[in-house]
Amino acid sequence: FRRWRRGEDEAVVLVNLVDKKGGQGRLGTLLGEVASKEGVEVGWFDFHKLARERGYDDALEVITDWMLEREEEGKVMRVNCVDCLDRTNVVQSA
């Protein structure tokens, strides 16, 4: 996380798109713990679950609205996914 910052005052935000269950859930929890220790805000969105429950477009809107609020504050986004780039690419292109 320290390497992501260009300067001491730069705020980095992690957008975590991994599932909240199984191996991805354990990894997401550990990632969140490490990020918190470094002062990095984490938004954890189980993309697959959100899309199932709310539909694809609404799931994207929830995530991108959260990201836009932080970008307006001048924060730098870092998007995390585990096994593929599909979720990452979808969210970053929205």
Side-chain angles (χ1 to χ4, degrees), residues 35-47:
S36 293
K37 287 179 184 176
E38 292 295 326
V40 174
E41 180 182 3
V42 178
W44 189 353
F45 303 94
D46 185 330
F47 185 78

Side-chain angles (χ1 to χ4, degrees), residues 1 4 11-20 24 27-29 31-32 35-36 39-48 50 59-72 75-94:
F1 296 107
W4 287 348
V12 176
V13 176
L14 177 65
V15 182
N16 193 3
L17 301 175
V18 300
D19 297 342
K20 290 188 176 183
Q24 287 190 25
L27 181 61
T29 298
L31 182 62
S36 293
V40 174
E41 180 182 3
V42 178
W44 189 353
F45 303 94
D46 185 330
F47 185 78
H48 293 133
L50 264 177
L60 272 179
E61 186 174 345
V62 167
I63 298 167
T64 55
D65 284 352
W66 186 88
M67 291 172 64
L68 287 172
E69 286 175 17
R70 278 127 191 102
E71 284 179 354
E72 288 173 359
K75 296 181 179 179
V76 176
M77 298 290 128
R78 298 294 183 184
V79 181
N80 175 58
C81 185
V82 174
D83 56 358
C84 65
L85 290 174
D86 291 346
R87 289 174 268 189
T88 302
N89 289 336
V90 165
V91 169
Q92 288 182 335
S93 65

